[in-house]
């Protein structure tokens, strides 16, 4: 789990909130000395809290497993985020020589999109209700040129890097 400063939860740090998972599937937050639910862990993610989930008996890192559980609950609880086609494509990359590249590309794309979202939120702070009405009245083809240009540029850059890494992996020079 990473926080907003890009620190990895697997790195030892005194500010990492430790959550223990017991065999009875209960989660125990060592900071608040109380049992918590997956919904509480989801709230920690939304708040940007740096945490690590550990098996209470073995100490094994279960953070990824818990995050995947939260995603599964979100996917089954409402409007799915991932299409069946996308999930199938992701599964096809497991064990494939491009697995590492695809994971890196997806991570960079999501980070670029999150950066864009933060930038838009910062810019939107000064908008009045009238300005919002005007903005929302803009036709969708005009919005990408204004707001998504940076994201598209970052995505293209990430794709080019992925392509270059793939070519280098196969010994092809450009």
């Amino acid at each position: 789990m990473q926080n907003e400063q890009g620190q990895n939860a697997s790195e030892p740090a005194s500010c990492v909130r430790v959550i223990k998972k017991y065999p009875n599937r209960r989660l125990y937050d060592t900071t608040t000395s109380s049992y918590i639910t997956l919904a509480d862990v989801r709230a920690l993610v939304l708040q940007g809290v740096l945490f690590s989930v550990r098996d209470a008996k073995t100490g094994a890192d279960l953070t990824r497993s818990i995050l995947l559980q939260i995603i599964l609950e979100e996917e089954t609880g409402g409007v799915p985020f991932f299409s069946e086609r996308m999930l199938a494509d992701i599964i096809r990359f497991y064990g494939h020589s491009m697995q590492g590249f695809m994971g890196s590309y997806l991570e960079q794309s999501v980070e670029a999109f999150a950066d864009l979202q933060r930038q838009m939120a910062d810019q939107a702070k000064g908008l009045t209700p009238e300005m919002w009405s005007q903005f929302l009245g803009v036709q969708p083809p005009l919005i990408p040129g204004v707001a998504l240009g940076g994201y598209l540029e970052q995505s293209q850059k990430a794709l080019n890097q992925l392509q270059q890494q793939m070519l280098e992996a196969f010994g092809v020079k450009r």
Side-chain angles (χ1 to χ4, degrees):
M1 178 77 208
Q2 287 192 340
N3 66 5
E4 291 176 1
Q5 289 76 35
Q7 295 171 311
N8 196 331
S10 62
E11 295 172 0
S14 59
C15 61
V16 176
R17 192 167 185 161
V18 176
I19 299 169
K20 293 183 179 180
K21 184 172 187 285
Y22 287 91
N24 62 2
R25 298 183 182 177
R26 294 191 73 185
L27 299 168
Y28 184 78
D29 186 339
T30 59
T31 301
T32 62
S33 299
S34 62
Y35 287 99
I36 61 172
T37 65
L38 281 180
D40 297 323
V41 176
R42 180 183 180 276
L44 293 175
V45 171
L46 294 175
Q47 294 165 13
V49 174
L50 185 60
F51 67 88
S52 177
V53 180
R54 300 282 173 186
D55 184 284
K57 190 173 184 179
T58 66
D61 187 358
L62 303 175
T63 309
R64 285 178 34 83
S65 173
I66 294 299
L67 293 172
L68 286 167
Q69 269 186 280
I70 292 169
I71 290 171
L72 182 60
E73 280 193 3
E74 291 292 322
E75 284 289 306
T76 57
V79 178
F81 186 81
F82 298 105
S83 67
E84 289 178 20
R85 180 178 174 195
M86 183 177 181
L87 290 170
D89 285 343
I90 290 171
I91 290 168
R92 286 184 193 102
F93 274 100
Y94 281 98
H96 190 276
S97 60
M98 294 293 113
Q99 178 178 339
F101 297 120
M102 185 60 173
S104 175
Y105 173 72
L106 288 174
E107 186 173 349
Q108 289 175 11
S109 293
V110 170
E111 285 176 15
F113 190 80
D115 288 343
L116 170 69
Q117 186 179 23
R118 279 190 288 278
Q119 290 171 6
M120 288 179 67
D122 288 343
Q123 292 172 355
K125 287 178 183 173
L127 292 179
T128 64
E130 294 80 22
M131 294 169 90
W132 267 113
S133 296
Q134 242 181 348
F135 176 75
L136 294 174
V138 174
Q139 296 298 318
L142 297 178
I143 293 172
V146 173
L148 295 180
Y151 170 71
L152 295 174
E153 200 173 291
Q154 288 177 340
S155 291
Q156 183 62 43
K157 186 177 178 182
L159 183 59
N160 288 340
Q161 287 175 342
L162 174 65
Q163 189 176 32
Q164 184 62 35
Q165 289 173 340
M166 288 171 52
L167 291 172
E168 288 172 5
F170 292 116
V172 178
K173 294 195 178 200
R174 241 177 161 177

